[in-house]
Amino acid sequence: MAHIPINHPLRPLYRALSGLVGLYILIFGIIGFIRTSGMDFFANHGDWVLGLLTNPAFSVLSIIAGLIVLAGALIGRNLFVALNLVGGFIFLIAGIVMLLLLRTDANFLSFSMVNCVVSFIFGMLFLAAGLYGKVGPTEDEEAEAAFRTRQPTTRHATNH
């Protein structure tokens, strides 16, 4: 990675947004699992929950994803960065794959077009949170800022 901002001033905002999305995904998964408990696990038809279509399999995946994203937002530090970068790519890839399977019998997560769009939005938010959430010491922050602006770093030599 050439340069990712360290200690970005909007880091708390991205962490809060990621946590809220993780909470939404968790609540969606719980309600979805309760409402679809009588269906086949990979049913092609689902039930609408909080604006998205779901089946039991997608509800369980949502519960797991929501817990992981929420835990990352609560723990913070650079674990938050790693989880959001990986989660962002997973949500984008899931959106693309489910878009390809949308009107087929292979739509095993019962996705709709709305689900695909929301998956893309969440994926982009997680990627942004991951890219701007990195934390580190002040020296690393100054070196990254100097690299970004192409200015030499100023190091204070200490004589002992």
Side-chain angles (χ1 to χ4, degrees):
M1 291 188 243
H3 61 91
I4 293 179
I6 300 173
N7 302 330
H8 193 275
L10 293 179
R11 184 178 30 137
L13 173 67
Y14 286 114
R15 189 172 166 191
L17 288 173
S18 179
L20 287 173
V21 169
L23 184 63
Y24 169 82
I25 294 169
L26 177 63
I27 292 170
F28 163 78
I30 292 169
I31 294 171
F33 188 74
I34 292 168
R35 291 192 54 193
T36 62
S37 61
M39 292 181 187
D40 290 336
F41 197 66
F42 291 106
N44 287 34
H45 63 284
D47 198 2
W48 289 96
V49 175
L50 299 179
L52 300 174
L53 197 58
T54 189
N55 65 9
F58 185 48
S59 296
V60 169
L61 284 174
S62 296
I63 291 169
I64 294 167
L67 286 172
I68 291 171
V69 170
L70 196 56
L74 292 175
I75 293 169
R77 307 299 300 164
N78 287 328
L79 174 67
F80 166 77
V81 172
L83 288 176
N84 275 276
L85 288 175
V86 170
F89 284 117
I90 289 172
F91 271 77
L92 290 175
I93 290 169
I96 292 169
V97 168
M98 295 313 295
L99 187 62
L100 291 171
L101 302 176
L102 200 60
R103 293 188 174 212
T104 68
D105 290 335
N107 188 0
F108 61 94
L109 294 179
S110 186
F111 261 46
S112 69
M113 182 57 80
V114 175
N115 292 60
C116 294
V117 171
V118 168
S119 186
F120 294 141
I121 292 169
F122 286 175
M124 294 303 293
L125 184 129
F126 291 146
L127 283 177
L131 290 173
Y132 290 100
K134 188 173 182 180
V135 294
T138 306
E139 298 83 30
D140 291 348
E141 180 181 357
E142 291 170 354
E144 190 279 325
F147 175 79
R148 190 171 1 103
T149 59
R150 308 257 190 254
Q151 297 174 0
T153 59
T154 56
R155 300 229 180 232
H156 298 355
T158 57
N159 295 329
H160 294 292

